[in-house]
Coordinates of all heavy atoms in Angstrom, one line a residue:
S28 N 93.7 75.0 95.5 CA 95.2 75.1 95.8 C 95.6 76.5 96.0 O 96.5 76.8 96.8 CB 95.9 74.4 94.6 OG 96.6 75.3 93.8
N29 N 95.0 77.5 95.3 CA 95.4 78.9 95.6 C 94.9 79.3 96.9 O 95.6 80.1 97.6 CB 94.7 79.8 94.5 CG 95.4 79.7 93.2 OD1 96.6 79.3 93.1 ND2 94.8 80.1 92.1
R30 N 93.7 78.9 97.4 CA 93.3 79.2 98.7 C 94.2 78.6 99.8 O 94.4 79.2 100.8 CB 91.8 78.7 98.9 CG 90.8 79.7 98.4 CD 89.4 79.3 98.9 NE 89.0 78.0 98.4 CZ 88.2 77.8 97.4 NH1 87.6 78.8 96.8 NH2 87.9 76.6 97.1
D31 N 94.7 77.4 99.5 CA 95.6 76.8 100.5 C 96.9 77.5 100.6 O 97.6 77.5 101.7 CB 95.9 75.3 100.1 CG 94.7 74.4 100.2 OD1 93.7 74.9 100.8 OD2 94.7 73.3 99.6
K32 N 97.3 78.3 99.6 CA 98.6 79.0 99.6 C 98.5 80.4 100.3 O 99.5 81.0 100.7 CB 99.1 79.3 98.2 CG 99.5 78.0 97.5 CD 99.9 78.4 96.0 CE 100.1 77.1 95.3 NZ 100.4 77.4 93.9
I33 N 97.3 80.8 100.5 CA 97.1 82.2 101.1 C 97.3 82.1 102.6 O 96.8 81.2 103.3 CB 95.6 82.7 100.8 CG1 95.5 82.9 99.3 CG2 95.4 84.0 101.6 CD1 94.1 83.3 98.9
S34 N 98.1 83.0 103.1 CA 98.3 83.0 104.6 C 97.8 84.4 105.0 O 97.7 85.4 104.3 CB 99.8 82.9 104.9 OG 100.5 83.9 104.4
F35 N 97.4 84.4 106.3 CA 96.8 85.6 106.8 C 97.9 86.5 107.4 O 98.9 86.1 107.8 CB 95.7 85.3 107.9 CG 94.5 84.7 107.3 CD1 94.3 83.4 107.1 CD2 93.5 85.6 106.7 CE1 93.2 82.8 106.5 CE2 92.4 85.1 106.1 CZ 92.2 83.7 106.0
V36 N 97.6 87.8 107.4 CA 98.5 88.8 107.9 C 98.2 89.1 109.4 O 97.0 89.2 109.8 CB 98.3 90.1 107.1 CG1 99.2 91.2 107.6 CG2 98.5 89.8 105.6
Q37 N 99.2 89.2 110.2 CA 99.0 89.6 111.6 C 98.4 91.0 111.7 O 98.9 91.9 111.0 CB 100.3 89.5 112.4 CG 100.6 88.2 112.9 CD 101.8 88.2 113.8 OE1 102.7 89.0 113.6 NE2 101.8 87.5 114.9
V38 N 97.4 91.2 112.5 CA 96.9 92.5 112.7 C 97.1 92.9 114.2 O 96.8 92.1 115.1 CB 95.4 92.5 112.4 CG1 94.8 93.8 112.7 CG2 95.1 92.1 111.0
K39 N 97.7 94.0 114.4 CA 97.9 94.5 115.7 C 97.0 95.6 116.0 O 96.8 96.6 115.3 CB 99.4 95.0 115.8 CG 99.7 95.6 117.2 CD 101.1 96.2 117.2 CE 101.3 96.9 118.5 NZ 102.4 97.8 118.5
E40 N 96.3 95.5 117.1 CA 95.3 96.5 117.5 C 96.1 97.6 118.2 O 96.9 97.3 119.1 CB 94.3 95.9 118.5 CG 93.1 96.8 118.7 CD 92.0 96.1 119.4 OE1 91.8 94.9 119.2 OE2 91.4 96.8 120.3
T41 N 95.9 98.8 117.8 CA 96.7 99.9 118.4 C 95.7 101.0 119.0 O 94.6 101.1 118.5 CB 97.6 100.6 117.4 OG1 96.8 101.2 116.3 CG2 98.6 99.7 116.8
S42 N 96.2 101.7 120.0 CA 95.3 102.7 120.5 C 95.5 104.0 119.6 O 96.4 104.1 118.8 CB 95.8 103.1 121.9 OG 97.0 103.7 121.9
Q43 N 94.6 104.9 119.7 CA 94.7 106.1 118.9 C 95.9 106.9 119.2 O 96.4 107.7 118.4 CB 93.4 107.0 119.1 CG 92.2 106.3 118.6 CD 90.9 107.2 118.8 OE1 90.9 108.0 119.7 NE2 89.9 107.0 118.0
Q44 N 96.4 106.8 120.4 CA 97.6 107.6 120.9 C 98.9 107.1 120.3 O 99.8 107.8 120.2 CB 97.7 107.6 122.4 CG 96.5 108.3 123.0 CD 96.3 108.0 124.5 OE1 96.9 107.0 125.0 NE2 95.6 108.8 125.2
E45 N 98.9 105.8 119.9 CA 100.1 105.3 119.3 C 100.4 105.9 117.9 O 99.4 106.0 117.1 CB 100.1 103.8 119.2 CG 100.2 103.0 120.5 CD 100.2 101.5 120.3 OE1 101.1 101.0 119.6 OE2 99.3 100.9 120.9
Q46 N 101.6 106.2 117.6 CA 101.9 106.8 116.3 C 102.8 105.7 115.6 O 103.7 105.1 116.2 CB 102.8 108.0 116.5 CG 102.0 109.2 117.0 CD 101.0 109.7 116.0 OE1 101.2 109.7 114.8 NE2 99.8 110.2 116.5
I47 N 102.5 105.5 114.4 CA 103.3 104.6 113.6 C 104.2 105.5 112.8 O 103.8 106.4 112.1 CB 102.4 103.7 112.6 CG1 101.5 102.9 113.5 CG2 103.3 102.9 111.7 CD1 100.5 102.1 112.7
S48 N 105.5 105.2 112.8 CA 106.5 106.1 112.3 C 106.9 105.8 110.8 O 107.8 106.4 110.3 CB 107.8 106.0 113.1 OG 108.3 104.7 113.1
T49 N 106.2 104.9 110.2 CA 106.6 104.6 108.8 C 105.5 105.1 107.8 O 104.3 105.3 108.3 CB 106.8 103.1 108.6 OG1 107.1 102.8 107.3 CG2 105.5 102.3 109.0
D50 N 105.8 105.2 106.6 CA 104.8 105.6 105.6 C 103.8 104.4 105.4 O 104.3 103.2 105.3 CB 105.4 105.9 104.3 CG 106.3 107.2 104.3 OD1 105.9 108.1 105.1 OD2 107.2 107.3 103.6
L51 N 102.6 104.7 105.3 CA 101.6 103.6 105.1 C 100.8 103.8 103.9 O 100.5 104.9 103.4 CB 100.6 103.6 106.3 CG 101.2 103.4 107.7 CD1 100.1 103.6 108.8 CD2 101.8 102.0 107.8
M52 N 100.4 102.6 103.3 CA 99.4 102.6 102.3 C 98.1 102.2 103.0 O 98.1 101.3 103.8 CB 99.7 101.5 101.2 CG 101.0 101.7 100.4 SD 101.2 100.4 99.2 CE 101.6 99.0 100.2
T53 N 97.0 102.8 102.6 CA 95.7 102.4 103.2 C 94.9 101.8 102.1 O 94.7 102.4 101.0 CB 95.0 103.7 103.8 OG1 95.8 104.3 104.7 CG2 93.7 103.3 104.4
I54 N 94.4 100.6 102.4 CA 93.5 99.9 101.5 C 92.2 99.8 102.2 O 92.0 99.4 103.3 CB 94.0 98.4 101.2 CG1 95.4 98.5 100.6 CG2 93.1 97.7 100.4 CD1 96.1 97.1 100.4
H55 N 91.1 100.2 101.4 CA 89.8 100.2 101.9 C 89.0 99.1 101.3 O 89.0 98.9 100.1 CB 89.1 101.5 101.5 CG 89.7 102.8 102.1 ND1 89.4 103.2 103.4 CD2 90.6 103.6 101.7 CE1 90.1 104.3 103.7 NE2 90.9 104.5 102.6
V56 N 88.5 98.2 102.2 CA 87.6 97.1 101.8 C 86.3 97.2 102.5 O 86.2 97.0 103.7 CB 88.3 95.8 102.2 CG1 87.5 94.6 101.7 CG2 89.7 95.7 101.6
G57 N 85.3 97.7 101.8 CA 84.0 97.9 102.5 C 84.2 99.0 103.5 O 84.7 100.1 103.3
A58 N 83.8 98.7 104.8 CA 83.9 99.6 105.9 C 85.2 99.5 106.6 O 85.4 100.2 107.6 CB 82.7 99.3 106.9
I59 N 86.1 98.6 106.1 CA 87.4 98.4 106.8 C 88.5 99.1 106.1 O 88.5 99.1 104.8 CB 87.7 96.9 106.8 CG1 86.6 96.1 107.6 CG2 89.1 96.6 107.4 CD1 86.7 94.6 107.4
A60 N 89.4 99.7 106.8 CA 90.6 100.4 106.3 C 91.8 99.6 106.8 O 91.9 99.5 108.1 CB 90.6 101.8 106.6
I61 N 92.7 99.2 106.0 CA 93.8 98.5 106.4 C 95.1 99.3 106.0 O 95.3 99.6 104.9 CB 93.9 97.1 105.7 CG1 92.6 96.3 106.1 CG2 95.2 96.3 106.1 CD1 92.5 95.0 105.3
D62 N 95.9 99.6 107.0 CA 97.2 100.3 106.8 C 98.3 99.3 106.6 O 98.5 98.4 107.4 CB 97.5 101.2 108.0 CG 96.5 102.4 108.1 OD1 96.0 102.8 107.0 OD2 96.3 102.8 109.2
I63 N 99.0 99.4 105.5 CA 100.1 98.5 105.2 C 101.3 99.3 105.0 O 101.3 100.3 104.3 CB 99.8 97.7 103.9 CG1 98.5 96.9 104.1 CG2 100.9 96.8 103.5 CD1 98.0 96.2 102.8
P64 N 102.5 98.9 105.6 CA 103.7 99.7 105.4 C 104.1 99.8 104.0 O 104.0 98.8 103.2 CB 104.7 98.9 106.2 CG 104.0 98.0 107.2 CD 102.7 97.8 106.5
S65 N 104.5 100.9 103.5 CA 104.9 101.1 102.1 C 106.2 100.3 101.8 O 106.5 100.1 100.6 CB 105.1 102.5 101.7 OG 106.1 103.1 102.5
T66 N 106.9 99.8 102.8 CA 108.1 99.0 102.6 C 107.9 97.5 102.5 O 108.8 96.8 102.4 CB 109.1 99.3 103.8 OG1 108.4 98.9 105.0 CG2 109.5 100.7 103.8
I67 N 106.6 97.1 102.4 CA 106.3 95.7 102.4 C 106.8 95.1 101.0 O 106.8 95.8 100.0 CB 104.7 95.5 102.5 CG1 104.4 94.1 102.8 CG2 104.0 96.0 101.3 CD1 102.9 93.9 103.2
S68 N 107.2 93.8 101.1 CA 107.6 93.2 99.9 C 106.5 92.9 98.9 O 105.3 92.8 99.3 CB 108.3 91.8 100.2 OG 107.3 90.9 100.6
D69 N 106.8 92.9 97.6 CA 105.8 92.6 96.6 C 105.1 91.3 96.9 O 103.9 91.2 96.7 CB 106.4 92.6 95.2 CG 106.9 94.0 94.8 OD1 106.5 95.0 95.4 OD2 107.6 94.0 93.8
D70 N 105.8 90.3 97.3 CA 105.2 89.0 97.6 C 104.2 89.0 98.7 O 103.1 88.5 98.6 CB 106.3 88.0 97.9 CG 105.7 86.6 98.1 OD1 105.0 86.1 97.1 OD2 106.0 85.9 99.1
R71 N 104.5 89.7 99.8 CA 103.6 89.8 100.9 C 102.4 90.7 100.5 O 101.2 90.3 100.9 CB 104.3 90.4 102.1 CG 105.3 89.4 102.7 CD 105.6 89.7 104.1 NE 104.5 89.5 105.0 CZ 104.4 89.9 106.2 NH1 105.5 90.5 106.7 NH2 103.4 89.7 107.0
L72 N 102.6 91.7 99.8 CA 101.5 92.6 99.3 C 100.5 91.8 98.4 O 99.3 91.9 98.6 CB 102.0 93.8 98.6 CG 100.9 94.8 98.1 CD1 100.0 95.3 99.2 CD2 101.5 95.9 97.3
K73 N 101.1 91.0 97.5 CA 100.3 90.1 96.7 C 99.4 89.2 97.5 O 98.3 89.0 97.2 CB 101.2 89.4 95.7 CG 100.4 88.5 94.7 CD 101.4 87.8 93.8 CE 100.6 86.9 92.9 NZ 101.5 86.1 92.0
R74 N 100.0 88.5 98.5 CA 99.3 87.6 99.4 C 98.2 88.3 100.1 O 97.0 87.8 100.2 CB 100.2 86.9 100.4 CG 101.1 85.9 99.7 CD 101.8 85.0 100.7 NE 102.1 85.6 102.0 CZ 103.2 85.6 102.6 NH1 104.3 85.1 102.1 NH2 103.4 86.2 103.8
I75 N 98.4 89.6 100.6 CA 97.4 90.3 101.3 C 96.2 90.6 100.3 O 95.1 90.5 100.6 CB 98.0 91.6 101.8 CG1 98.9 91.3 103.0 CG2 96.9 92.6 102.3 CD1 99.8 92.5 103.4

């Protein structure tokens, strides 16, 4: 039931030239680094 409640986060592929204008949290999972806006809600962060 917990797995059924989990939803996936949209991932947008960006070029190196694009700048993101918000503060980001970076989460490292193995060889992957995921940037998450620091303004994300607690609920969405928990799901991620």
Side-chain angles (χ1 to χ4, degrees):
S28 108
N29 286 339
R30 277 193 295 259
D31 292 344
K32 292 177 187 173
I33 294 173
S34 62
F35 289 93
V36 179
Q37 273 187 323
V38 176
K39 179 185 174 199
E40 196 171 319
T41 60
S42 70
Q43 290 179 337
Q44 296 165 339
E45 287 184 58
Q46 293 289 326
I47 299 175
S48 62
T49 183
D50 293 331
L51 298 175
M52 293 184 290
T53 302
I54 299 175
H55 297 275
V56 181
I59 300 171
I61 301 170
D62 290 330
I63 299 174
S65 61
T66 57
I67 194 168
S68 72
D69 289 346
D70 184 53
R71 290 197 69 191
L72 180 58
K73 182 178 177 181
R74 288 192 332 230
I75 291 168

